[in-house]
Amino acid sequence: MKHYSAFAVAREALRYHTGWERAWRSPEPKKRYDVIIIGAGGHGLATAYYLGKNYGIQNVAVIEKGWLGGGNTGRNTTIIRSNYLQDPSAAMYEKARSLYEDLSQELNYNIMFSPRGVMMLAQTQHEIRGYQRTAHANALQGVQTEWIGPERVKELVPIINIDGPRYPVLGALWQERGGTARHDAVAWGYARACSAMGMDIIQKCEVTGVRSENGRVIGVDTTKGAIDCDKLGIVVAGHSGQLADMAGFRLPLESVALQALVSEPIKPCMDVVVMANTVHGYMSQSDKGEMVIGGGTDGFNNYTQRGSFHHIEETVRALVETFPMISRLKMLRQWGGIVDMTGDRSPILSKTPLGGCFINCGWGTGGFKAIPGSGWGMAQLMATGHSPLTEAFTLDRFREGRFIDESVAAGVAH
C-alpha cells in the first residue's frame, strides 16, 4: 500500500476541491505581461487580485522563487488588528480588517476568519498612558477599540494572572472586532482567484536581474528565462533590499528573524488573542487546541527561517509569569520568518527611482494583518499612480523627515 505525506494529501485535496491547476502546476512564463509581481505571498497575491478585480488588469504574472505562501505568510501567528496610533496606519489596517470580515465570501474560499478579539496588555505606567492615547486616537479615526481595567481583563481571560511578580496587569487596549485567520488559506484563496482570472502564478522561478531602458523598467531575468513587462511590483518582504539593489536603488530597512512556536494541543482555555509587549510575548489558542506563541525579533540582522533555544527561554519565561498554567506544556514545533523593518516601524508602499517599478515592503512584524488593505492600496497605486491609502508611506518620507512612528503599536519589533 502506498503511503502519502500529510503535505501530499493536503495538496491533492486542494487540487480536487478547487480545480486549482494553473496555480499549482506553475505554468511556463509568457514573453510579456502588463504587470509582473515578484513575490507570491499574501501581499503580492492580494495586489494581483485587486489589479484584476478593481482595474481589469489581468495579464499579470506573480513570480515566486520558492513556493506559494512559503515565506512570512505561512510563518506568522495569524493576528488581525487595526489599533494603531497614527492616522495613515489606522486607515491601512482598518481597511484590511474590514476586508478580512467578508474575504471568505468574496474569494469563495474559507480563510477561517475568527473575530475573537485582541487584547494588548498594559503592564507599566508608561503603557497605560500609551494605550489610552491610542484608544482616544482610534475613537477619532473610527476604529472600534476601548481601554479596559484589570478586572475586565480577568473576566475575558480567566487563565491570566493579573498580579504577576514583575509586571502586574494594569489594564489593556481591547479591540473586540480583531482576531485571527488561517494564514495559508489567505494565500490559497487569493491565488485561486488570481488563477481564475487568467493570471500566471509561477513558482520555483527566481528573479536574477531587473532590466531597464531610459530609466524605466522593461522586464526581469529569471531562472526560467527573460520576461518583459510594462510595470513591476516588488513584494518580497525580507529580501526587498536584494531586489531593490537589482533595480538600482537602496532601501532604508534591515532584515531580522522573528520566531514563533506552538504547544501541544489542549482543551479550549482561551478564546481571545493576548499581546504583552512589555515582556515581548503574545499568545492565542488555535482551532486545533495549540497555544500559538510569539515573541520579539532577533537582536541582530539575519535571514534565518528557523527557531533558536534562547528565544524559547526568553518568550516562554515571560509568558509563564502571566499564564502560569502553560508552564507544564510541551512545545510541538518552532519556526522563524524574515521580517524587514524600517526605522519608524511603518511600511513602504511607493513608486521607486526606476520608472514603472513599485515597492511594497517594510511591514516588520505586522504584515499578515494588513494583507487585504496592502493589496488594495498597492493595486490602486500601480494602476493609477496614486492611492489615498499609500500616499503617506512613500520612500520620500525618510528624506523629508515625515516619519510614521508606530514603535508602540508594533511593540514586538523594538
Side-chain angles (χ1 to χ4, degrees):
M1 180 178 179
K2 190 173 182 179
H3 294 277
Y4 295 90
S5 68
F7 177 78
V9 171
R11 178 187 66 191
E12 294 305 316
L14 182 67
R15 290 173 62 182
Y16 176 80
H17 288 294
T18 66
W20 186 23
E21 295 294 326
R22 290 172 56 83
W24 190 263
R25 290 185 177 178
S26 298
E28 289 299 312
K30 296 186 292 189
K31 294 295 184 182
R32 184 176 188 82
Y33 293 91
D34 293 336
V35 174
I36 291 176
I37 303 293
I38 307 175
H43 290 261
L45 292 165
T47 299
Y49 172 74
Y50 292 115
L51 277 171
K53 177 178 181 289
N54 294 349
Y55 302 99
I57 302 173
Q58 299 181 357
N59 183 26
V60 176
V62 183
I63 301 175
E64 170 59 49
K65 77 171 185 178
W67 65 93
L68 192 154
N72 292 350
T73 299
R75 296 171 182 271
N76 62 80
T77 50
T78 75
I79 298 171
I80 297 169
R81 61 185 178 88
S82 60
N83 50 355
Y84 280 70
L85 175 63
Q86 307 295 345
D87 290 349
S89 305
M92 174 65 77
Y93 287 102
E94 180 63 11
K95 177 67 173 179
R97 190 206 58 78
S98 64
L99 288 171
Y100 264 125
E101 289 194 329
D102 301 316
L103 197 57
S104 293
Q105 292 82 357
E106 179 171 338
L107 299 178
N108 191 28
Y109 196 95
N110 186 9
I111 66 162
M112 300 171 69
F113 175 65
S114 172
R116 62 186 64 186
V118 175
M119 178 186 300
M120 302 180 72
L121 300 181
Q123 295 178 282
T124 65
Q125 292 298 322
H126 174 73
E127 278 191 313
I128 291 177
R129 291 191 295 271
Y131 286 145
Q132 287 181 341
R133 179 189 179 197
T134 301
H136 294 317
N138 290 162
L140 295 173
Q141 295 154 350
V143 178
Q144 295 181 12
T145 63
E146 62 177 312
W147 168 259
I148 59 175
E151 296 79 14
R152 177 64 172 152
V153 171
K154 183 69 174 178
E155 180 184 343
L156 290 166
V157 191
I159 67 171
I160 199 169
N161 175 24
I162 62 173
D163 301 314
R166 287 197 305 163
Y167 297 109
V169 175
L170 306 176
L173 181 64
W174 169 241
Q175 184 169 24
E176 190 171 10
R177 294 175 72 88
T180 62
R182 168 71 176 175
H183 45 14
D184 296 316
V186 172
W188 296 340
Y190 274 124
R192 189 179 72 158
C194 290
S195 183
M197 284 189 272
M199 299 178 184
D200 288 339
I201 302 172
I202 307 165
Q203 301 173 97
K204 302 295 183 182
C205 180
E206 183 175 357
V207 173
T208 57
V210 176
R211 291 181 287 113
S212 61
E213 193 173 276
N214 299 322
R216 186 172 181 85
V217 68
I218 60 172
V220 296
D221 295 321
T222 77
T223 51
K224 293 191 176 184
I227 314 173
D228 294 337
C229 65
D230 294 327
K231 294 181 180 180
L232 176 67
I234 299 174
V235 196
V236 294
H239 294 285
S240 297
Q242 293 171 278
L243 269 294
D245 186 58
M246 293 181 190
F249 59 92
R250 297 183 64 189
L251 293 172
L253 50 76
E254 56 186 6
S255 294
V256 297
L258 179 67
Q259 300 179 33
L261 59 104
V262 296
S263 75
E264 60 186 327
I266 58 176
K267 291 182 178 180
C269 63
M270 179 172 145
D271 59 0
V272 302
V273 179
V274 177
M275 307 183 69
N277 290 341
T278 294
V279 295
H280 278 182
Y282 48 99
M283 188 169 74
S284 62
Q285 188 168 21
S286 74
D287 296 331
K288 294 184 291 184
E290 303 161 347
M291 304 308 292
V292 183
I293 296 170
T297 53
D298 282 0
F300 50 93
N301 296 349
N302 66 92
Y303 291 90
T304 303
Q305 289 183 300
R306 61 178 183 269
S308 61
F309 289 116
H310 77 277
H311 252 289
I312 298 175
E313 180 183 358
E314 290 176 5
T315 303
V316 174
R317 179 180 60 205
L319 288 176
V320 164
E321 292 183 12
T322 309
F323 301 95
M325 64 155 285
I326 72 171
S327 62
R328 297 179 65 184
L329 292 181
K330 296 177 181 178
M331 187 181 78
L332 187 63
R333 63 185 180 275
Q334 183 189 19
W335 66 93
I338 308 168
V339 299
D340 49 331
M341 297 196 297
T342 61
D344 61 0
R345 300 301 187 254
S346 290
I348 299 168
L349 295 96
S350 178
K351 299 176 182 178
T352 70
L354 178 61
C357 180
F358 301 81
I359 188 83
N360 181 342
C361 64
W363 289 98
T365 62
F368 175 73
K369 67 176 73 71
I371 285 174
S374 164
W376 185 285
M378 187 68 172
Q380 187 176 31
L381 177 64
M382 294 187 71
T384 69
H386 171 75
S387 171
L389 275 180
T390 67
E391 62 184 357
F393 297 104
T394 64
L395 275 168
D396 293 340
R397 78 177 190 268
F398 297 99
R399 185 177 66 248
E400 298 169 359
R402 295 183 291 102
F403 302 122
I404 307 170
D405 183 9
E406 290 291 2
S407 54
V408 173
V412 295
H414 290 334

